Amino acid sequence: PPLDPAAREQINQTGMGRREALFYKTLADKVSMRVPRPYVARFDESSGVFLLLIEDLESTGCRFPDVAVGFDLKQARMAMRDYAKLHVRYEDKAIREREAGWVERMPGGSTFGTSMLQYGLVHHRDRLTDAFAEMAILYIERQSALEEVWERGSVSVLQGDSHIGNLFEDDGRPGFLDWGLIQLGTPMRDVGYFITMALSPENRRKHERDLIQVYLDPR
Protein backbone atom coordinates (compact mmCIF):
# COMPACT_ATOMS: atom_id res chain seq x y z
CA PRO A 1 0.00 0.00 0.00
CA PRO A 2 1.08 3.65 -0.29
CA LEU A 3 3.65 4.91 2.23
CA ASP A 4 1.60 8.01 3.03
CA PRO A 5 -0.39 7.13 6.19
CA ALA A 6 -3.61 8.82 5.04
CA ALA A 7 -3.51 7.17 1.63
CA ARG A 8 -2.65 3.82 3.21
CA GLU A 9 -5.61 4.05 5.56
CA GLN A 10 -7.93 4.97 2.67
CA ILE A 11 -6.79 1.94 0.67
CA ASN A 12 -7.22 -0.30 3.72
CA GLN A 13 -10.75 0.98 4.34
CA THR A 14 -11.86 0.41 0.75
CA GLY A 15 -10.56 -3.17 0.68
CA MET A 16 -8.96 -2.57 -2.70
CA GLY A 17 -5.70 -4.27 -1.78
CA ARG A 18 -7.45 -7.39 -0.53
CA ARG A 19 -9.62 -7.67 -3.64
CA GLU A 20 -6.73 -7.16 -6.02
CA ALA A 21 -4.51 -9.68 -4.24
CA LEU A 22 -7.30 -12.25 -4.19
CA PHE A 23 -8.05 -11.70 -7.86
CA TYR A 24 -4.46 -12.32 -8.93
CA LYS A 25 -4.16 -15.25 -6.54
CA THR A 26 -7.39 -17.06 -7.41
CA LEU A 27 -8.98 -15.74 -10.62
CA ALA A 28 -6.34 -14.29 -12.95
CA ASP A 29 -5.73 -17.68 -14.55
CA LYS A 30 -9.46 -18.40 -14.95
CA VAL A 31 -10.83 -15.31 -16.69
CA SER A 32 -10.61 -15.20 -20.48
CA MET A 33 -9.49 -11.56 -20.48
CA ARG A 34 -5.89 -10.46 -20.97
CA VAL A 35 -4.59 -9.55 -17.52
CA PRO A 36 -1.04 -9.13 -16.19
CA ARG A 37 0.56 -12.41 -15.21
CA PRO A 38 0.92 -12.61 -11.42
CA TYR A 39 4.01 -14.00 -9.70
CA VAL A 40 3.25 -13.13 -6.07
CA ALA A 41 -0.06 -12.05 -4.54
CA ARG A 42 -0.35 -11.87 -0.76
CA PHE A 43 -2.61 -10.12 1.70
CA ASP A 44 -2.56 -9.90 5.49
CA GLU A 45 -6.08 -9.76 6.94
CA SER A 46 -4.98 -8.29 10.27
CA SER A 47 -3.00 -5.31 8.96
CA GLY A 48 -4.41 -4.76 5.47
CA VAL A 49 -0.90 -4.91 4.01
CA PHE A 50 -0.72 -6.52 0.58
CA LEU A 51 2.05 -7.44 -1.84
CA LEU A 52 1.75 -7.87 -5.61
CA LEU A 53 4.46 -8.84 -8.07
CA ILE A 54 3.03 -8.90 -11.57
CA GLU A 55 4.18 -8.85 -15.17
CA ASP A 56 6.18 -5.83 -16.35
CA LEU A 57 3.87 -4.97 -19.24
CA GLU A 58 6.26 -2.70 -21.11
CA SER A 59 9.04 -5.29 -21.13
CA THR A 60 6.65 -7.87 -22.60
CA GLY A 61 5.70 -5.60 -25.49
CA CYS A 62 2.46 -4.16 -24.17
CA ARG A 63 1.64 -0.47 -24.33
CA PHE A 64 -0.70 1.93 -22.62
CA PRO A 65 -3.29 3.76 -24.73
CA ASP A 66 -3.48 7.50 -25.22
CA VAL A 67 -5.99 8.55 -22.56
CA ALA A 68 -7.16 11.47 -24.71
CA VAL A 69 -8.02 9.14 -27.60
CA GLY A 70 -9.17 5.95 -25.92
CA PHE A 71 -9.64 2.56 -27.53
CA ASP A 72 -10.70 2.26 -31.15
CA LEU A 73 -13.82 0.46 -32.33
CA LYS A 74 -12.07 -2.85 -33.04
CA GLN A 75 -10.60 -2.92 -29.54
CA ALA A 76 -13.94 -1.97 -28.00
CA ARG A 77 -15.60 -4.87 -29.79
CA MET A 78 -13.00 -7.25 -28.38
CA ALA A 79 -13.59 -5.84 -24.90
CA MET A 80 -17.35 -6.41 -25.24
CA ARG A 81 -16.72 -10.08 -26.05
CA ASP A 82 -14.35 -10.35 -23.10
CA TYR A 83 -16.99 -8.94 -20.79
CA ALA A 84 -19.64 -11.27 -22.18
CA LYS A 85 -17.48 -14.33 -21.43
CA LEU A 86 -16.72 -13.09 -17.91
CA HIS A 87 -20.33 -12.30 -17.10
CA VAL A 88 -21.85 -15.43 -18.59
CA ARG A 89 -19.42 -17.66 -16.72
CA TYR A 90 -20.07 -16.09 -13.35
CA GLU A 91 -23.81 -15.67 -13.72
CA ASP A 92 -23.75 -19.37 -12.93
CA LYS A 93 -24.08 -19.29 -9.16
CA ALA A 94 -22.38 -22.66 -8.64
CA ILE A 95 -19.30 -21.61 -10.63
CA ARG A 96 -19.29 -18.20 -8.98
CA GLU A 97 -19.35 -19.62 -5.48
CA ARG A 98 -16.73 -22.25 -6.29
CA GLU A 99 -14.22 -19.98 -8.04
CA ALA A 100 -15.05 -16.50 -6.77
CA GLY A 101 -16.83 -16.99 -3.47
CA TRP A 102 -14.89 -14.11 -1.92
CA VAL A 103 -16.22 -11.53 -4.42
CA GLU A 104 -18.95 -9.44 -2.82
CA ARG A 105 -21.30 -6.60 -3.66
CA MET A 106 -19.86 -3.19 -2.97
CA PRO A 107 -21.42 -1.46 0.05
CA GLY A 108 -24.28 0.80 -0.94
CA GLY A 109 -24.62 4.44 -0.01
CA SER A 110 -21.08 5.56 -0.89
CA THR A 111 -20.80 9.34 -1.08
CA PHE A 112 -17.68 9.33 -3.26
CA GLY A 113 -19.51 9.81 -6.57
CA THR A 114 -21.90 12.43 -5.25
CA SER A 115 -19.12 14.42 -3.58
CA MET A 116 -17.06 14.46 -6.78
CA LEU A 117 -20.05 15.58 -8.83
CA GLN A 118 -20.88 18.27 -6.28
CA TYR A 119 -17.29 19.50 -6.40
CA GLY A 120 -17.46 19.74 -10.18
CA LEU A 121 -20.73 21.66 -10.08
CA VAL A 122 -19.40 24.13 -7.53
CA HIS A 123 -15.90 24.68 -8.88
CA HIS A 124 -16.08 23.90 -12.61
CA ARG A 125 -19.63 24.64 -13.71
CA ASP A 126 -18.35 26.74 -16.63
CA ARG A 127 -16.66 23.63 -18.10
CA LEU A 128 -19.76 21.43 -17.87
CA THR A 129 -22.56 21.21 -20.41
CA ASP A 130 -26.07 21.88 -19.20
CA ALA A 131 -27.01 18.26 -19.96
CA PHE A 132 -24.15 16.94 -17.83
CA ALA A 133 -25.00 19.29 -14.97
CA GLU A 134 -28.64 18.17 -15.13
CA MET A 135 -27.64 14.51 -14.91
CA ALA A 136 -25.19 15.24 -12.09
CA ILE A 137 -27.91 16.95 -10.04
CA LEU A 138 -30.28 14.05 -10.73
CA TYR A 139 -27.69 11.55 -9.50
CA ILE A 140 -26.93 13.58 -6.37
CA GLU A 141 -30.62 13.87 -5.51
CA ARG A 142 -31.69 10.33 -6.48
CA GLN A 143 -28.63 8.16 -5.87
CA SER A 144 -30.40 5.56 -3.75
CA ALA A 145 -33.26 5.23 -6.24
CA LEU A 146 -30.81 4.80 -9.12
CA GLU A 147 -28.88 2.17 -7.19
CA GLU A 148 -32.12 0.27 -6.63
CA VAL A 149 -32.66 0.17 -10.40
CA TRP A 150 -29.20 -1.35 -10.89
CA GLU A 151 -29.93 -4.03 -8.30
CA ARG A 152 -32.84 -5.38 -10.36
CA GLY A 153 -30.58 -6.97 -12.97
CA SER A 154 -28.89 -10.36 -13.02
CA VAL A 155 -25.79 -10.87 -10.90
CA SER A 156 -22.28 -11.72 -12.03
CA VAL A 157 -18.66 -10.88 -11.27
CA LEU A 158 -17.76 -7.40 -12.55
CA GLN A 159 -14.31 -6.04 -13.36
CA GLY A 160 -15.60 -2.83 -11.84
CA ASP A 161 -13.21 -0.09 -12.94
CA SER A 162 -12.28 -0.25 -16.63
CA HIS A 163 -11.58 3.41 -17.37
CA ILE A 164 -8.87 4.08 -19.94
CA GLY A 165 -6.21 4.57 -17.26
CA ASN A 166 -6.72 0.98 -16.05
CA LEU A 167 -6.35 -0.61 -19.49
CA PHE A 168 -3.45 -1.64 -21.71
CA GLU A 169 -2.89 -3.11 -25.18
CA ASP A 170 -1.19 -6.36 -26.13
CA ASP A 171 -0.73 -6.39 -29.91
CA GLY A 172 -4.00 -4.49 -30.20
CA ARG A 173 -5.90 -6.67 -27.75
CA PRO A 174 -7.40 -4.89 -24.72
CA GLY A 175 -5.88 -5.80 -21.37
CA PHE A 176 -7.42 -5.19 -17.96
CA LEU A 177 -4.94 -4.02 -15.33
CA ASP A 178 -6.63 -2.81 -12.13
CA TRP A 179 -8.92 -5.27 -10.29
CA GLY A 180 -9.20 -3.42 -6.99
CA LEU A 181 -12.94 -2.83 -7.48
CA ILE A 182 -13.92 -6.34 -8.59
CA GLN A 183 -17.43 -6.92 -7.27
CA LEU A 184 -20.78 -8.59 -7.75
CA GLY A 185 -23.40 -6.63 -9.62
CA THR A 186 -25.45 -6.14 -12.75
CA PRO A 187 -23.31 -6.86 -15.85
CA MET A 188 -24.45 -3.76 -17.72
CA ARG A 189 -22.55 -1.66 -15.19
CA ASP A 190 -19.29 -2.98 -16.65
CA VAL A 191 -20.50 -2.47 -20.21
CA GLY A 192 -21.73 1.08 -19.66
CA TYR A 193 -18.66 2.03 -17.61
CA PHE A 194 -16.28 0.86 -20.34
CA ILE A 195 -18.16 2.52 -23.20
CA THR A 196 -18.30 5.79 -21.28
CA MET A 197 -14.79 5.78 -19.82
CA ALA A 198 -12.61 4.03 -22.43
CA LEU A 199 -13.82 5.52 -25.72
CA SER A 200 -13.69 9.00 -27.17
CA PRO A 201 -17.03 10.85 -26.98
CA GLU A 202 -17.27 10.66 -30.78
CA ASN A 203 -16.82 6.88 -30.88
CA ARG A 204 -19.19 6.38 -27.98
CA ARG A 205 -21.96 8.43 -29.56
CA LYS A 206 -21.54 6.76 -32.94
CA HIS A 207 -21.10 3.14 -31.85
CA GLU A 208 -22.58 2.59 -28.37
CA ARG A 209 -25.67 0.72 -29.62
CA ASP A 210 -23.56 -1.47 -31.90
CA LEU A 211 -21.18 -2.28 -29.05
CA ILE A 212 -24.03 -3.27 -26.73
CA GLN A 213 -25.29 -5.57 -29.46
CA VAL A 214 -21.83 -7.14 -29.79
CA TYR A 215 -21.92 -7.78 -26.05
CA LEU A 216 -25.36 -9.39 -26.28
CA ASP A 217 -24.56 -11.49 -29.37
CA PRO A 218 -24.37 -15.15 -28.23
CA ARG A 219 -21.64 -15.86 -30.78
Side-chain angles (χ1 to χ4, degrees):
L3 296 178
D4 176 74
R8 176 175 288 233
E9 180 60 24
Q10 183 180 36
I11 293 295
N12 285 349
Q13 288 181 354
T14 62
M16 292 175 65
R18 175 180 181 272
R19 285 190 292 271
E20 188 132 31
L22 286 172
F23 168 78
Y24 281 113
K25 185 174 182 179
T26 67
L27 285 180
D29 62 342
K30 294 181 176 63
V31 299
S32 60
M33 309 157 99
R34 173 66 168 99
V35 302
R37 287 182 291 274
Y39 304 110
V40 177
R42 297 180 182 174
F43 176 79
D44 182 74
E45 293 281 358
S46 61
S47 67
V49 172
F50 60 95
L51 175 67
L52 295 174
L53 180 62
I54 61 176
E55 173 186 357
D56 182 344
L57 294 169
E58 290 186 346
S59 71
T60 53
C62 299
R63 61 181 295 271
F64 295 94
D66 184 336
V67 296
V69 176
F71 275 162
D72 62 28
L73 181 59
K74 181 179 179 181
Q75 293 168 320
R77 285 172 174 266
M78 287 189 280
M80 291 298 102
R81 295 187 183 100
D82 282 340
Y83 278 128
K85 291 176 183 177
L86 175 74
H87 297 155
V88 167
R89 179 173 183 81
Y90 291 110
E91 275 186 336
D92 186 314
K93 186 176 181 180
I95 295 176
R96 187 169 72 238
E97 291 182 348
R98 182 174 68 249
E99 297 182 358
W102 56 269
V103 182
E104 302 172 333
R105 286 186 179 273
M106 296 292 284
S110 170
T111 61
F112 179 78
T114 54
S115 63
M116 293 296 289
L117 288 171
Q118 189 66 56
Y119 183 90
L121 290 170
V122 172
H123 297 281
H124 301 292
R125 179 61 183 86
D126 58 319
R127 300 174 59 186
L128 306 176
T129 66
D130 290 341
F132 183 92
E134 182 182 355
M135 291 298 101
I137 293 169
L138 176 64
Y139 183 82
I140 291 169
E141 294 178 347
R142 302 291 302 278
Q143 179 188 3
S144 60
L146 291 168
E147 291 292 338
E148 288 176 9
V149 173
W150 278 120
E151 296 300 317
R152 296 173 190 169
S154 58
V155 175
S156 187
V157 170
L158 310 185
Q159 191 276 339
D161 198 22
S162 55
H163 61 77
I164 195 65
N166 282 343
L167 302 168
F168 63 96
E169 302 174 24
D170 184 357
D171 194 25
R173 181 185 178 187
F176 299 79
L177 174 62
D178 189 332
W179 290 81
L181 291 180
I182 186 173
Q183 60 189 276
L184 297 182
T186 303
M188 282 302 294
R189 291 192 81 140
D190 261 351
V191 174
Y193 193 106
F194 177 92
I195 291 174
T196 303
M197 301 292 285
L199 303 181
S200 67
E202 294 76 16
N203 270 341
R204 185 189 74 239
R205 291 169 184 145
K206 187 175 181 180
H207 299 295
E208 60 185 355
R209 289 180 180 272
D210 171 64
L211 290 171
I212 292 172
Q213 191 57 53
V214 169
Y215 171 78
L216 295 173
D217 193 330
R219 293 171 296 178

